[in-house]
Amino acid sequence: MVMLKAFLKLMRMTRDSTSHSLLNQSSKEHHYKRWHRNIGLVIQLAPVLLALGIWYGGGWRSLEGAAYVGLFKARQASMPVNRWDDRIAVIAIDDLTLSKTQQFPVPRQTYVQLLSKLDSALPGAIVFDILFLDPSPDDAAFAQAISESWNVVLAIASAPKGNGDLAELVPSLSASAAALGHVNVSPDVDGIPRQLSLYHGSTPSLSIAALQVYEESLAATIGETKDNRAIATPYHRIPPSSLEENQAWVNWPGPIQSSTSDCRVTDEPGELRTYPLICVLEGTIPINLFADKIVLIGATAQGLDPLYTPFHRSPAVSNVYLHAALINNLLNDQLLRRMPSWLEKVMLLGFGLLTIMMLQQLNLLGRIGVIASFPLLWFGIAVLGLQASWLLPVAAPIGVLLLAFLGVQGREQWEKQQLMNLFQVYVSTDTAQRILSHKEQVLTQSSLPVETLMATVLFVDIREFTHVAEHLPPPKLMEWLNRYFSSMTACITAHGGTVDKYIGDEIMAVFMPSDQEMESIRQTALSAIAASFDMLTSLQKLNEELQFEELPTIEFGIGIHTGHVAAGNVGSVARLNYSVVGDAVNVASRLQSINKIVLDHNPHNILVSQETYRYVGAHYVGYSIGKIPLRGRQRKVLAYSILQPLPSTA
């Protein structure tokens, strides 16, 4: 409390020094009490605003991705029903097929045989999730088979060059196909693709193309066996320019059963039918199973075209099932829906405020009960939402709750943390330390005392900065300058210096002695020179990076002087800064400026005053450049350039 009183007294003193004529002391105390009362509200709201900021910045994305997986697993565990549409079937190039054919890739003549067999079943659409990019001797026969089938969809993907264009298929094959569909997939960081683009430019996805051909095929089919079930989601009829959202969120119908290893036919309700290619070719799978079906053909053998899903990670399945899932969603209007982005933000904000109001009414035990039970409750609500094809945010609301809890707890700890929080808001770390070390003087003298001491002041300035600023765009200039500042500041602080301020492209640093003994003062001068040589080394490395990036390289000049300075608070009632002033500061600044014209015997652009050289001469080789006039100063200064460390100290 003594330290708190000292700091508050200092704060009142700094305000009184400029505004006493406008406000009396009682009015100032009233304003402070009001600020003190409202700061608790700020502490409570800050976590909620932080949660919204994280949402804007995409910080919840990875956690929401994990929740996406958890929701599907929980839905399957609580409602263990597969939701695969029986209008979809997969013919798999699986391990059984490859073990019998002993060929990979599968010859295109094999696909000719497959299409010939499927023709008798009249499938609704035949969809190849295989890229036919390279020509083969069987292309003419394959193109003829595709043309005769008239309902074949071929896959196309982005070109390897990565310029956004789609790759060219074998011309005879693409010309024979009923449609082409892109198979571009962009998995999230965990390898699971959660969204697919319905269109790549004007090219539909494989699933959209399949539905377009499927609908046309059924319209042309005549017979009692025709499947007349409607397609629930008409995305395949909506032009790309009319779509509100090109990204479709995949609603996984359920786990995928791999193809059988002995050509047995399974007919479990809700299962996705997967049949080995070799079994279809050999006739052990009844061909009429594919009547009116959307038949996808793709590689499912282990290690080929792997796909992670919420249900499959070890082992993975294959990408053909991703397109099957999206077709399943479109057939049954089961694409995942999400709230509009603005509504999610409003929901998080309102939820955070309501949570704060509720937690304020509870003791610590009650609050712990809320934060322990709410995540389970909300997760259960989200699982029910998923059952209705709604994907609710999970991680963000739970995160808001936890952050709101921290905010409420933080407000109760406000008084205990007030001193350090005030220090961090109003003063630098150095000032805080000096306030603490002089708290008795602050209490008795109502002021942070001004100290006069010997210190070493260093100025470093970029040469030709005006020219660089003229040619670099402001954002690029800021990035360029900050990289330089970061590199130089690290060197200064590594040697015990403190950056007092940044002035444009200039850095002012102070090396304060631990006491006013000669050896401590000498050490500050030596530290300033050592920091300068470190800055030269760091600048060389930085320039190599800048040159590689075709950015302007940097040259600087350094001026150093050791002398008496006055250390204390400098500024206004609105902003205080602990700094040093005095002739020693001016001398160091002028030495840095004179570097521009002192070219001979000054290889490193480091100029020091005679006072500094007296302390460092036993450790560094210097060259006297004589007495030089400094702008704005009557007395000349004997200056030295620093050439190199002496061998004993190098």
Side-chain angles (χ1 to χ4, degrees):
M1 289 304 295
V2 171
M3 290 188 293
L4 177 59
K5 290 179 181 178
F7 181 72
L8 297 181
K9 191 170 184 180
L10 175 63
M11 296 298 297
R12 288 195 296 269
M13 177 276 298
T14 55
R15 293 195 297 266
D16 288 345
S17 62
T18 57
S19 59
H20 181 72
S21 60
L22 300 176
L23 296 172
N24 58 34
Q25 185 66 24
S26 61
S27 176
K28 293 176 71 60
E29 289 179 352
H30 169 73
H31 285 299
Y32 171 73
K33 289 178 180 178
R34 186 173 61 183
W35 170 81
H36 177 269
R37 184 171 56 252
N38 291 337
I39 197 66
L41 180 60
V42 173
I43 292 174
Q44 287 185 159
L45 291 178
V48 178
L49 298 178
L50 174 62
L52 285 174
I54 294 173
W55 182 272
Y56 271 104
W60 295 112
R61 190 172 300 149
S62 60
L63 293 176
E64 291 292 354
Y68 173 94
V69 173
L71 286 173
F72 279 104
K73 290 184 176 180
R75 185 183 73 176
Q76 190 64 26
S78 58
M79 294 167 265
V81 177
N82 280 1
R83 299 161 179 81
W84 288 100
D85 195 299
D86 62 5
R87 289 174 283 181
I88 304 171
V90 174
I91 296 178
I93 304 169
D94 59 354
D95 293 304
L96 177 63
T97 299
L98 295 183
S99 67
K100 287 191 175 184
T101 61
Q102 297 294 310
Q103 286 184 296
F104 186 81
V106 174
R108 289 174 192 173
Q109 185 60 38
T110 302
Y111 298 134
V112 174
Q113 299 172 27
L114 176 63
L115 291 178
S116 177
K117 280 188 168 291
L118 289 175
D119 278 348
S120 62
L122 296 177
I126 303 171
V127 184
F128 280 90
D129 181 26
I130 300 167
L131 295 174
F132 299 109
L133 302 177
D134 301 317
S136 82
D138 300 325
D139 285 344
F142 189 27
Q144 179 67 23
I146 292 173
S147 179
E148 291 176 355
S149 295
W150 66 268
N151 61 353
V152 174
V153 181
L154 297 183
I156 189 170
S158 294
K161 294 181 180 179
N163 56 6
D165 295 333
L166 295 175
E168 294 284 342
L169 299 185
V170 174
S172 61
L173 303 183
S174 60
S176 303
L180 301 179
H182 81 80
V183 290
N184 295 334
V185 177
S186 298
D188 290 343
V189 292
D190 59 357
I192 298 176
R194 293 171 173 81
Q195 300 179 77
L196 283 179
S197 298
L198 295 177
Y199 286 87
H200 181 98
S202 60
T203 303
S205 66
L206 194 67
S207 53
I208 293 289
L211 291 183
Q212 291 171 344
V213 172
Y214 178 66
E215 189 170 64
E216 293 171 2
S217 177
L218 290 185
T221 301
I222 301 174
E224 296 180 359
T225 61
K226 176 181 175 181
D227 194 328
N228 291 306
R229 283 178 290 175
I231 299 173
T233 312
Y235 279 102
H236 59 290
R237 303 192 207 112
I238 301 175
S241 58
S242 301
L243 281 176
E244 294 183 5
E245 177 59 59
N246 188 43
Q247 295 296 315
W249 283 83
V250 182
N251 185 355
W252 282 95
I256 298 162
Q257 302 297 326
S258 60
S259 58
T260 60
S261 59
D262 55 3
C263 296
R264 287 182 293 108
V265 176
T266 59
D267 194 23
E268 294 293 332
E271 296 282 359
L272 177 62
R273 275 69 170 174
T274 301
Y275 307 103
L277 171 61
I278 191 66
C279 299
V280 177
L281 293 175
E282 292 176 348
T284 52
I285 298 292
I287 204 67
N288 62 354
L289 292 177
F290 302 105
D292 289 340
K293 297 287 192 295
I294 300 174
V295 181
L296 290 100
I297 304 164
T300 66
Q302 188 172 359
L304 298 180
D305 203 16
L307 168 74
Y308 296 127
T309 81
F311 303 110
H312 310 89
R313 190 164 193 92
S314 182
V317 289
S318 301
N319 269 295
V320 66
Y321 295 115
L322 177 62
H323 305 296
L326 191 55
I327 291 172
N328 196 97
N329 292 166
L330 295 169
L331 283 172
N332 299 284
D333 192 22
Q334 290 177 345
L335 281 175
L336 289 180
R337 296 182 287 272
R338 301 193 64 172
M339 291 186 291
S341 179
W342 67 268
L343 184 57
E344 288 182 336
K345 298 181 181 71
V346 170
M347 182 194 75
L348 289 179
L349 179 60
F351 181 75
L353 296 177
L354 290 174
T355 301
I356 289 174
M357 295 173 60
M358 178 180 64
L359 292 178
Q360 282 180 326
Q361 310 303 317
L362 302 173
N363 58 22
L364 180 60
L365 187 60
R367 293 171 187 172
I368 293 175
V370 169
I371 65 171
S373 59
F374 174 80
L376 296 175
L377 175 62
W378 184 254
F379 190 81
I381 292 172
V383 170
L384 293 176
L386 189 63
Q387 175 68 8
S389 299
W390 277 95
L391 182 60
L392 300 177
V394 174
I398 294 174
V400 168
L401 173 77
L402 297 176
L403 289 173
F405 170 77
L406 294 177
V408 172
Q409 290 298 113
R411 181 175 186 176
E412 293 185 353
Q413 298 298 319
W414 165 243
E415 290 295 336
K416 296 178 183 179
Q417 299 297 324
Q418 186 181 28
L419 176 61
M420 291 311 300
N421 287 342
L422 288 172
F423 278 5
Q424 292 170 4
V425 171
Y426 287 101
V427 300
S428 68
T429 303
D430 287 343
T431 308
Q433 294 297 329
R434 291 190 175 272
I435 290 174
L436 293 176
S437 62
H438 295 87
K439 60 181 181 292
E440 296 299 332
Q441 289 173 288
V442 172
L443 285 170
T444 57
Q445 300 177 14
S446 298
S447 172
L448 184 64
V450 176
E451 296 179 275
T452 301
L453 45 82
M454 288 286 287
T456 298
V457 183
L458 178 149
F459 277 83
V460 57
D461 179 74
I462 297 177
R463 299 299 180 235
E464 302 297 334
F465 177 74
T466 303
H467 176 75
V468 174
E470 180 183 3
H471 292 87
L472 274 184
K476 200 70 177 177
L477 178 66
M478 182 71 73
E479 179 186 349
W480 178 85
L481 191 59
N482 284 338
R483 287 174 67 181
Y484 164 77
F485 280 154
S486 297
S487 180
M488 298 303 103
T489 300
C491 297
I492 291 168
T493 56
H495 290 275
T498 300
V499 172
D500 185 275
K501 59 179 66 72
Y502 300 103
I503 312 164
D505 61 306
E506 188 176 57
I507 301 174
M508 173 185 168
V510 182
F511 293 79
M512 292 280 196
S514 57
D515 54 53
Q516 289 297 288
E517 298 296 328
M518 182 70 69
E519 187 54 38
S520 295
I521 297 171
R522 184 193 314 278
Q523 190 55 52
T524 63
L526 289 170
S527 296
I529 303 296
S532 300
F533 275 95
D534 267 6
M535 291 161 70
L536 285 168
T537 302
S538 294
L539 184 65
Q540 183 178 2
K541 295 178 181 178
L542 177 61
N543 277 335
E544 291 174 358
E545 297 174 7
L546 295 175
Q547 190 172 21
F548 179 77
E549 298 170 21
E550 299 183 350
L551 292 172
T553 55
I554 299 172
E555 292 184 9
F556 61 33
I558 296 175
I560 301 172
H561 176 59
T562 304
H564 287 94
V565 297
N569 277 338
V570 177
S572 70
V573 65
R575 180 72 179 269
L576 291 174
N577 181 44
Y578 189 82
S579 185
V580 297
V581 297
D583 184 58
V585 177
N586 296 332
V587 171
S589 177
R590 299 296 185 263
L591 285 173
Q592 174 273 122
S593 299
I594 209 72
N595 244 322
K596 298 175 183 177
I597 59 175
V598 178
L599 304 178
D600 295 334
H601 304 288
N602 188 18
H604 306 306
N605 291 325
I606 301 174
L607 292 185
V608 303
S609 66
Q610 180 184 22
E611 289 77 4
T612 299
Y613 192 69
R614 286 173 182 167
Y615 291 110
V616 303
H619 299 272
Y620 290 91
V621 178
Y623 179 85
S624 174
I625 62 172
K627 290 189 176 182
I628 55 176
L630 300 181
R631 181 169 55 87
R633 197 173 188 273
Q634 293 182 352
R635 288 180 296 172
K636 295 182 178 181
V637 172
L638 179 58
Y640 290 80
S641 65
I642 299 298
L643 303 180
Q644 63 186 35
L646 286 171
S648 59
T649 60

